[in-house]
Amino acid sequence: MSTNFSSALTHPVFKVVSQIASEKGISAFVIGGFVRDLIIGRPSKDIDIVVLGNGLELAQLSAEKLRVKKVSLFKNFGTAHFAYKDLDVEFVGARKESYRSDSRKPIVEDGTLQDDQNRRDFTINALALSLNIETFGNLIDPFNGLKDIELGIIRTPLEPDITYSDDPLRMLRAIRFATQLNFKIETKSLESILRQSDRLKIISQERINEELNKIILADQPSRGFILLKSTQLLHQFFPEMIALVGIETIDGKSHKDNFYHTLEVLDNVAEKSDSLWLRWAAILHDIAKPPTKRFDKEIGWTFHGHEDLGARMVPRIFTRMRLPLDQKMKYVQKLVRLHLRPIALVKGTVTDSAIRRLLNEAGDDIEDLMTLCNADITSKNEFKVKKYKQNFEIVSLKLKDVEEKDQIRNFQPPVTGELIMQTFGVGPCAEIGIIKSQIKESILEGTIPNEYEAAYAEMLRIGAELGLKIEA
Ligand code: ATP
Ligand code: MG
């Protein structure tokens, strides 16, 4: 008896496609991620429909019936796509792919449903549900993918060496799915990945990033990074992170393993925020610890300046990894540079002026910086963690307090350059910059409040010191 999922295929798209396929005498199946997610009970917006016959025509007729106006046809690839409500529906002809050792591009030809399932990456991604009227909802599962979902196993349909060598990106996808779904990768697969991890070099960085960012966005990204390290895939595209691995001991003094520390921070951030770039800041916050590491006989291990060097490494890493070089990079760079600042406040005495300076530098990213910094409090010593977290609370409260009182976050000078020029009857000159920065300095230091009257008086005082005369 075959397993049937017709009761789960209630969406009008399936009924319509089924009806039209039957009228045209062709076969159609839902396949891949949508079926997997349906069984797992995970929401999914992409429907892939594989067609034995003319997929373009089936797509067009289905769209008409659903009153969808825009259908994109890719005649060269034999694929079609339309959006229906919040779903993306893609039609593609069943394909057979054969790879030759001397070329990365497969030879693609029309194939059977079985051919199409053979070319899929994992058993859990090769499941198909029939849309044909007589067999509507029947599961076609040649590789026991359903059982692998139940067992939580990532397994390749063919021999792992073949599946991974045909398209080495699949090695990264194995880890991506294992991380997202909290599945185990079967041992045979892991061994195969380790054997050919260096083949990832032939994959474009853009394709790598798509999978890497999905790993980073998972509930517990550390799971993925531990697998990336043990399979040596991480070595291929992220040597700076591999450099964080390891503990050194001199005179009985050891430092912590910065790779595992970074993963702890990343998981802590992931608990609080879904922001990809905040998570990237967690990954990179200690990236310059290896090149700044020193041993001092008196004080032990130090990593002086790792926040500044780390911030300088960010653009280099983003460029090489083809990550965006826009505001997102600047944001990550800023968080890396400032990541020690709140903690320094936690350890010392918290003055209003130190808080104002931090607010002024972090601007609107202050909350994210505090999230990162709080996540950075990790130690085997529970007492220490508790004490730091308590102090951290105090700094957070103080921040709110100062912010309400002084409004420093997006600092706008209460006295403008224009007013300074008018008051002293001068044109643009060096003195204006001096006056403005000294007023700002006094406000941050707390010698005057962030208000017009006080700033005006301060302007007059500094102007007089500089020998400027008030315009009559
Ligand atoms: P999600 O969209 O949730 O990230 P998905 O499984 O739908 O996961 P896609 O990248 O959208 O992943 O791919 C859709 C389907 O196409 C997969 O389920 C799989 O069957 C197949 N597929 C995608 N990429 C590959 C690949 N590199 N090798 C083999 N099959 C692949
Ligand atoms: Mg998908």
Side-chain angles (χ1 to χ4, degrees):
M1 200 192 78
S2 65
T3 317
N4 187 280
F5 286 88
S6 59
S7 58
L9 298 179
T10 51
H11 201 284
V13 167
F14 301 119
K15 296 270 178 286
V16 166
V17 172
S18 175
Q19 202 184 344
I20 292 171
S22 148
E23 283 165 19
K24 291 279 152 190
I26 57 180
S27 291
F29 304 85
V30 204
I31 196 163
F34 184 86
V35 182
R36 178 201 64 221
D37 290 343
L38 185 85
I39 294 169
I40 294 177
R42 202 169 161 241
S44 175
K45 297 195 183 308
D46 295 346
I47 301 179
D48 289 313
I49 294 174
V50 67
V51 185
L52 306 178
N54 191 339
L56 300 179
E57 191 189 9
L58 180 60
Q60 264 177 325
L61 294 174
S62 303
E64 264 170 43
K65 184 117 191 183
L66 291 162
R67 297 175 199 281
V68 170
K69 293 207 180 64
K70 190 169 173 288
V71 185
S72 318
L73 299 176
F74 306 93
K75 293 214 170 93
N76 293 344
F77 298 97
T79 64
H81 166 269
F82 61 75
Y84 178 71
K85 300 197 170 154
D86 59 339
L87 292 178
D88 273 316
V89 192
E90 178 137 0
F91 292 76
V92 54
R95 287 187 340 209
K96 182 184 164 91
E97 285 180 359
S98 24
Y99 289 81
R100 296 206 326 253
S101 57
D102 57 345
S103 163
R104 273 208 289 128
K105 293 247 177 299
I107 302 165
V108 180
E109 50 196 322
D110 288 347
T112 62
L113 174 66
Q114 172 83 43
D115 289 330
D116 202 283
Q117 287 175 299
N118 281 340
R119 72 173 182 87
R120 306 259 156 189
D121 46 7
F122 305 110
T123 59
I124 62 165
N125 284 348
L127 297 160
L129 295 180
S130 169
L131 293 180
N132 304 314
I133 287 192
E134 313 78 53
T135 52
F136 189 81
N138 276 4
L139 178 71
I140 302 118
D141 180 14
F143 309 111
N144 276 324
L146 186 60
K147 184 151 157 270
D148 285 344
I149 291 180
E150 277 161 19
L151 297 173
I153 289 187
I154 306 292
R155 198 196 311 268
T156 54
L158 311 177
E159 273 302 304
D161 280 348
I162 296 174
T163 299
Y164 294 128
S165 117
D166 282 351
D167 177 3
L169 183 74
R170 293 169 182 165
M171 301 189 284
L172 211 52
R173 285 174 60 86
I175 292 175
R176 190 259 279 193
F177 287 114
T179 312
Q180 284 182 325
L181 304 173
N182 199 9
F183 279 21
K184 282 216 162 10
I185 302 174
E186 73 161 340
T187 312
K188 220 164 77 166
S189 234
L190 279 175
E191 287 166 358
S192 173
I193 296 175
L194 181 60
R195 262 197 308 278
Q196 41 184 330
S197 58
D198 67 333
R199 297 249 307 144
L200 194 69
K201 290 231 162 85
I202 66 169
I203 299 296
S204 75
Q205 188 63 43
E206 286 79 0
R207 289 184 80 203
I208 291 178
N209 287 346
E210 219 169 286
E211 301 300 328
L212 179 63
N213 284 339
K214 286 184 180 177
I215 293 172
I216 295 172
L217 284 171
D219 291 345
Q220 217 185 329
S222 65
R223 283 204 296 265
F225 279 94
I226 287 167
L227 286 167
L228 286 173
K229 170 179 166 286
S230 65
T231 53
Q232 299 199 354
L233 288 171
L234 196 59
H235 300 60
Q236 312 304 318
F237 60 89
F238 208 166
E240 295 88 348
M241 206 172 167
I242 290 297
L244 293 170
V245 175
I247 296 172
E248 214 178 318
T249 308
I250 297 181
D251 294 348
K253 286 181 185 157
S254 312
H255 62 76
K256 56 179 152 190
D257 184 310
N258 287 306
F259 182 74
Y260 291 100
H261 165 69
T262 294
L263 295 190
E264 227 181 309
V265 178
L266 176 58
D267 280 353
N268 288 345
V269 165
E271 264 181 42
K272 301 273 182 236
S273 162
D274 288 332
S275 153
L276 176 64
W277 302 106
L278 180 52
R279 292 179 184 205
W280 263 104
I283 292 168
L284 293 171
H285 81 284
D286 276 349
I287 204 69
K289 274 198 169 170
T292 54
K293 183 165 98 171
R294 302 279 179 275
F295 184 78
D296 180 294
K297 279 213 167 322
E298 304 291 313
I299 46 176
W301 294 102
T302 65
F303 304 90
H304 287 311
H306 75 272
E307 69 283 20
D308 286 323
L309 181 60
R312 274 182 277 136
M313 285 168 74
V314 169
R316 268 183 264 160
I317 291 172
F318 268 53
T319 303
R320 191 195 67 234
M321 291 183 76
R322 298 184 178 276
L323 291 164
L325 298 175
D326 54 12
Q327 285 313 312
K328 299 177 185 98
M329 191 268 282
K330 289 249 176 315
Y331 161 90
V332 172
Q333 196 174 26
K334 185 203 250 183
L335 292 197
V336 172
R337 185 167 51 81
L338 295 178
H339 84 268
L340 293 177
R341 291 278 293 278
I343 216 66
L345 295 180
V346 168
K347 286 179 184 169
T349 44
V350 198
T351 63
D352 278 13
S353 72
I355 297 247
R356 273 192 295 268
R357 283 178 195 283
L358 181 60
L359 257 171
N360 179 239
E361 280 187 67
D364 282 335
D365 300 320
I366 186 71
E367 281 86 10
D368 287 358
L369 179 65
M370 292 298 279
T371 304
L372 173 62
C373 202
N374 198 14
D376 196 13
I377 304 176
T378 74
S379 162
K380 290 214 176 64
N381 181 338
E382 268 179 53
F383 176 75
K384 229 170 154 181
V385 170
K386 200 166 161 209
K387 193 179 110 204
Y388 280 176
K389 295 244 170 186
Q390 272 168 359
N391 288 358
F392 197 84
E393 258 320 288
I394 297 173
V395 174
S396 300
L397 288 175
K398 193 105 191 174
L399 244 155
K400 279 209 189 78
D401 206 39
V402 170
E403 161 122 280
E404 268 167 32
K405 205 170 66 196
D406 300 345
Q407 316 206 327
I408 289 297
R409 182 188 290 241
N410 293 308
F411 184 81
Q412 294 295 336
V415 165
T416 63
E418 237 122 80
L419 183 69
I420 301 172
M421 289 194 272
Q422 246 175 38
T423 310
F424 296 111
V426 292
C429 57
E431 281 77 3
I432 296 161
I434 298 173
I435 293 174
K436 276 172 86 174
S437 72
Q438 282 200 21
I439 291 175
K440 180 173 172 180
E441 198 47 37
S442 304
I443 291 171
L444 292 179
E445 200 44 49
T447 44
I448 63 166
N450 187 14
E451 287 163 7
Y452 176 81
E453 303 273 301
Y456 190 86
E458 186 75 349
M459 169 189 77
L460 294 181
R461 187 186 67 73
I462 302 164
E465 263 179 32
L466 292 172
L468 296 177
K469 299 248 170 343
I470 297 172
E471 183 93 321

